[in-house]
Amino acid sequence: MVTIEEALRIVEDQSISLKSETKPLEESLGYALATNTVSPFDVPEFDNSAMDGYALCGLYQEYKLVGEVAAGDSKEILMKDGEAVRVFTGAKVPQNTTAVMMQEKTTVKASTLFLDEMPKTEQNIRKKGGQLKEGQEVFTEGHILNPPSLALMGSLGLSQLNVFSKPRVNIITTGNELVKPGKSKTEGQIYESNSYAISGALQQFGFEHHQKTQILDDFEATKAGIKTALGSCDVLIISGGISVGDYDFVKQSLEENGVNELFYKVFQKPGKPLYFGRKENQFVFALPGNPASSLTCFYVYVLPLLQKLSGYGRTGLPTYQFPIKHPYENRFGRPSFLKAAVFDGKAQILDGQGSSMIQSMAKGNALAFVDENEKLAEGDLIRCKLIS
Ligand code: AMP
Ligand code: MG
């Protein structure tokens, strides 16, 4: 048995080799950059107007209007002192522009422009290179491409990005009692639900599964199922069959398939019988079958590994601290991840903390963490990971 910190350290410390690929900009969301990016030119590339208004030459309250430049125009007007040019947001301003005055603060009579107030030097001019200089570092390797990153890469004219490949994931669910939703079941059977949580959580974080297999609690079938799944993935996620019951064949089947155990059992609630193993460059997580346990273990342990294998510069869900709405004492005798709801900056621990209880997790949006025997008074800070 390892502690949560030890388990996370083992996941984080795995040595891996990353693969990279070229992706079109529009398909790069959620990928990490495989190379450093420098700006190929100044951004913006030319002085331009931040407003619809007037480019002014000199600082006066009255100007002679001599022309117009719209966004996208390349024309170059040379103003004389005391002259102004009509400009629009994003338009290249004449070279000798002293300031731009927004149109709301102006009046035009015939071809004379009157300002309501005195302009200030460089006011409303977006300067060439004001955001980035040519050759300046934009992103370093491992930067995770979020929507504004895509906009920035696009604004640099880059349509193909060199990114780290994402791991291929296979899912196995185990259990004689499991029936696929939509099918009829008999007394004693239940509907299989963990694979939907796992594939949903994969999707939530930009991953997808390649194959999903359901196997019975039978040693030979488990061995064969694992062998097949390992044939086409970088990460295998197994649900159930990893406890100490007579029908739990996963651990032994992994050994028989040449998977080496990195840890088995974590001192935590839920998810104590969590297994992590490795076979060369393939990784296996065997998650406890109880629905809340398996999903909790996914968020806490599987996600950081997937992100690490994707070349992410930072991995795992960040932990935030929120004041708790009510007193809470951890009586589970183990460090615990609690189903919680965070709203209006406050955390509430939900009813229904059992490992099999998924309803509270579904209605909440966070996993709160309390140490073994931790006791909190109302308003004390509690550590939370936001899961939705
Ligand atoms: P196990 O870890 O296989 O001993 O399963 C623990 C509990 O989780 C049992 O009540 C199982 O019926 C339940 N369980 C296991 N796998 C699933 C699954 N894929 N979907 C829903 N419940 C499951
Ligand atoms: Mg089982």
Side-chain angles (χ1 to χ4, degrees):
M1 180 116 67
V2 293
T3 63
I4 294 169
E5 293 71 28
E6 284 163 348
L8 287 172
R9 175 58 52 85
I10 291 169
V11 171
E12 186 50 41
D13 283 353
Q14 292 305 305
S15 61
I16 53 165
S17 56
L18 297 168
K19 285 181 233 115
S20 63
E21 61 189 291
T22 302
K23 280 255 162 214
L25 179 60
E26 57 269 36
E27 292 170 24
S28 298
L29 182 71
Y31 282 83
L33 285 172
T35 41
N36 295 343
T37 309
V38 294
S39 185
F41 43 72
D42 284 343
V43 180
E45 278 190 280
F46 46 85
D47 289 359
N48 68 92
S49 177
M51 295 280 171
D52 292 322
Y54 297 88
L56 315 168
C57 189
L59 299 172
Y60 308 101
Q61 264 193 290
E62 218 183 294
Y63 296 84
K64 185 181 170 209
L65 270 177
V66 294
E68 177 181 299
V69 189
D73 280 359
S74 59
K75 69 182 166 204
E76 193 56 71
I77 300 175
L78 202 63
M79 299 184 288
K80 292 199 195 78
D81 196 45
E83 288 182 348
V85 164
R86 176 92 171 110
V87 289
F88 300 91
T89 307
K92 183 172 176 204
V93 296
Q95 241 175 40
N96 56 352
T97 300
T98 314
V100 168
M101 182 57 74
M102 66 197 290
Q103 70 184 40
E104 291 86 337
K105 294 181 178 171
T106 65
T107 321
V108 177
K109 282 190 193 128
S111 59
T112 306
L113 170 75
F114 299 93
L115 308 188
D116 298 351
E117 58 187 52
M118 272 301 284
K120 294 185 192 81
T121 307
E122 299 208 334
Q123 179 183 21
N124 299 324
I125 302 175
R126 300 194 287 219
K127 299 297 282 180
K128 173 177 157 68
Q131 199 176 168
L132 284 169
K133 299 266 184 271
E134 182 181 337
Q136 190 181 333
E137 186 166 85
V138 182
F139 293 127
T140 50
E141 178 191 309
H143 176 80
I144 306 152
L145 293 159
N146 57 9
S149 305
L150 299 186
L152 184 52
M153 296 304 250
S155 72
L156 300 179
L158 304 171
S159 63
Q160 303 285 325
L161 306 184
N162 184 222
V163 298
F164 287 117
S165 304
K166 290 195 183 179
R168 287 172 310 160
V169 181
N170 281 342
I171 301 172
I172 290 179
T173 53
T174 69
N176 285 348
E177 74 279 29
L178 304 177
V179 175
K180 208 174 154 55
K183 297 260 161 63
S184 60
K185 60 179 176 54
T186 53
E187 183 84 26
Q189 293 187 309
I190 61 163
Y191 286 119
E192 194 283 305
S193 61
N194 287 352
S195 72
Y196 300 92
I198 294 165
S199 61
L202 285 169
Q203 270 181 57
Q204 185 185 356
F205 293 98
F207 298 96
E208 55 190 36
H209 69 278
H210 168 66
Q211 229 174 52
K212 182 168 123 178
T213 322
Q214 161 68 38
I215 51 183
L216 295 173
D217 293 321
D218 170 90
F219 186 37
E220 291 306 321
T222 308
K223 262 196 320 196
I226 288 172
K227 183 166 190 238
T228 307
L230 284 174
S232 63
C233 69
D234 303 300
V235 178
L236 173 59
I237 304 174
I238 304 173
S239 137
I242 192 66
S243 280
V244 292
D246 291 348
Y247 295 94
D248 292 330
F249 297 115
V250 168
K251 193 165 176 292
Q252 208 186 333
S253 303
L254 286 168
E255 273 163 32
E256 298 262 333
N257 273 289
V259 179
N260 297 310
E261 178 188 315
L262 293 165
F263 65 73
Y264 175 50
K265 291 194 178 161
V266 182
F267 188 59
Q268 63 179 2
K269 177 154 174 66
K272 190 169 88 171
L274 171 66
Y275 170 101
F276 180 46
R278 175 171 189 164
K279 181 183 183 180
E280 292 166 13
N281 287 324
Q282 291 176 294
F283 294 91
V284 181
F285 272 106
L287 312 178
N290 270 313
S293 309
S294 75
L295 190 53
T296 299
C297 288
F298 178 92
Y299 286 123
V300 178
Y301 302 96
V302 183
L303 181 63
L305 179 80
L306 295 174
Q307 293 177 328
K308 181 182 162 72
L309 293 172
S310 307
Y312 276 28
R314 69 183 146 72
T315 58
L317 291 173
T319 300
Y320 302 100
Q321 294 199 324
F322 295 101
I324 189 167
K325 266 187 174 168
H326 50 79
Y328 187 84
E329 185 179 349
N330 185 6
R331 294 207 181 90
F332 293 118
R334 272 177 264 161
S336 302
F337 294 99
L338 304 167
K339 301 160 192 87
V342 172
F343 288 109
D344 301 329
K346 289 196 174 133
Q348 182 183 353
I349 307 306
L350 301 169
D351 288 339
Q353 289 297 331
S355 299
S356 62
M357 294 183 179
I358 200 71
Q359 187 186 196
S360 45
M361 204 168 179
K363 291 185 176 167
N365 61 356
L367 281 177
F369 178 77
V370 278
D371 264 324
E372 188 186 358
N373 305 322
E374 189 169 342
K375 210 170 162 178
L376 296 163
E378 183 188 333
D380 281 354
L381 294 179
I382 184 165
R383 289 161 281 179
C384 295
K385 289 182 183 296
L386 300 179
I387 58 170
S388 61

